[in-house]
Amino acid sequence: MNALVEFRQVCYRIGARDILRDLTLEVEEGETLVLLGRSGSGKTTALRMVNGMLFPTSGEVRVEGRPTTAWDPVRLKRRIGYVIQEIGLFPHYTVEQNVGLVPRLEGWDPARIRKRAGELLTRVGLEPEQFLPRYPRQLSGGQRQRVGVARALAADPPLLLFDEPFGAVDPVTRTELQRQFRALGRDLAKTSLFVTHDVREALMLATRIALLHDGRLETLAAPGEFLRSGSGEAQAFLAGLDWRQETAG
């Protein structure tokens, strides 16, 4: 496989504090790489470097073989779908207008945008005729998050970033969204970088897990290997998991 995203000895410092320390990591085409770690471990900082929201103090982040500093900032962001916990839908836009935002900026015609929005709502489990004309205030938290995923996919970007996207919904809806995300990953074969502090979520969704601790890459492993990791930080995350329950689900 080819690396769609590369971190090359990336460091990021704020004042005297090191947020990331010598991070070297590749995200391969078609995989879901989960950045797992405690609060303050540097995982969201790493994610924000991919679409040029932040830049390394030293080292280099490359997207599609090109340093993020060499990209046109607008073009880079439009090549990447971005989903956050707070969703960030525009309240004065309908669902159709929210989903179609980037395609509209890219010059798609209205009929194509509407067709694409309808297709994506269906994929995320929402009935297009019912939800396209609604406004965000008329949606539940889980429905808004589904619309956020559809918006991220709208212009068919090669890369998707997810920053704890399911953390603000109830446990039942979260499980439904996780299963839907896993199905979308199989169907669309997108490359995804997914931030979470939930080890169950990481094990469920990841092709590989990158565990960050104090700004350093502690462990990089497929889920099955992660379960056998001798890393103290990995064991701290795995402590207390009831795998009889997990494997039965």
Side-chain angles (χ1 to χ4, degrees):
M1 290 186 179
N2 297 318
L4 192 64
V5 178
E6 302 169 76
F7 293 84
R8 297 183 174 183
Q9 297 181 304
V10 170
C11 297
Y12 186 73
R13 176 175 291 178
I14 299 177
R17 183 186 174 202
D18 290 318
I19 308 299
L20 288 175
R21 311 180 193 195
D22 198 30
L23 178 62
T24 296
L25 179 66
E26 294 185 351
V27 185
E28 298 173 353
E29 289 185 16
E31 81 165 323
T32 297
L33 190 142
V34 171
L35 293 173
L36 176 68
R38 306 183 193 215
S39 297
S41 62
K43 55 190 186 296
T44 293
T45 297
L47 190 79
R48 290 176 177 173
M49 288 187 173
V50 176
N51 69 352
M53 294 176 69
L54 298 173
F55 295 98
T57 304
S58 63
E60 187 175 73
V61 179
R62 299 176 72 89
V63 176
E64 297 185 274
R66 189 190 312 175
T68 54
T69 52
W71 277 86
D72 172 83
V74 173
R75 177 51 47 194
L76 177 61
K77 288 175 174 60
R78 291 187 189 176
R79 292 284 290 168
I80 299 172
Y82 191 39
V83 183
I84 59 177
Q85 185 177 126
E86 294 83 8
I87 308 163
L89 299 180
F90 292 104
H92 56 291
Y93 282 7
T94 64
V95 167
E96 181 179 350
Q97 290 169 326
N98 269 286
V99 174
L101 178 62
V102 174
R104 188 163 59 251
L105 293 172
E106 292 287 277
W108 291 26
D109 68 75
R112 184 185 176 195
I113 293 173
R114 183 173 181 80
K115 180 181 179 183
R116 179 67 172 164
E119 291 171 349
L120 289 171
L121 285 194
T122 299
R123 278 194 176 274
V124 299
L126 298 176
E127 172 57 47
E129 294 303 316
Q130 181 179 356
F131 286 95
L132 282 174
R134 290 191 182 182
Y135 288 87
R137 66 179 180 274
Q138 297 172 306
L139 308 177
S140 69
Q143 289 166 347
R144 288 195 297 273
Q145 198 57 275
R146 287 180 168 89
V147 172
V149 172
R151 183 176 64 180
L153 289 166
D156 198 24
L159 176 63
L160 301 172
L161 305 180
F162 295 85
D163 191 359
E164 302 197 59
F166 310 141
V169 297
D170 64 83
V172 173
T173 301
R174 182 169 186 161
T175 299
E176 292 173 352
L177 289 168
Q178 288 167 344
R179 289 172 177 164
Q180 196 167 64
F181 174 86
R182 189 167 59 178
L184 282 171
R186 287 195 305 263
D187 294 344
L188 301 178
K190 290 290 184 182
T191 305
S192 298
L193 192 56
F194 192 108
V195 164
T196 187
H197 61 266
D198 184 339
V199 68
R200 289 179 175 85
E201 186 166 71
L203 291 164
M204 179 181 185
L205 301 180
T207 53
R208 291 189 299 158
I209 298 169
L211 176 63
L212 299 184
H213 182 52
D214 289 337
R216 297 187 185 275
L217 180 61
E218 173 98 358
T219 301
L220 178 62
E225 297 169 339
F226 188 87
L227 290 171
R228 300 187 294 272
S229 173
S231 155
E233 187 69 1
Q235 289 301 312
F237 271 92
L238 292 169
L241 282 179
D242 183 350
W243 284 102
R244 290 171 299 178
Q245 178 180 352
E246 293 294 319
T247 53

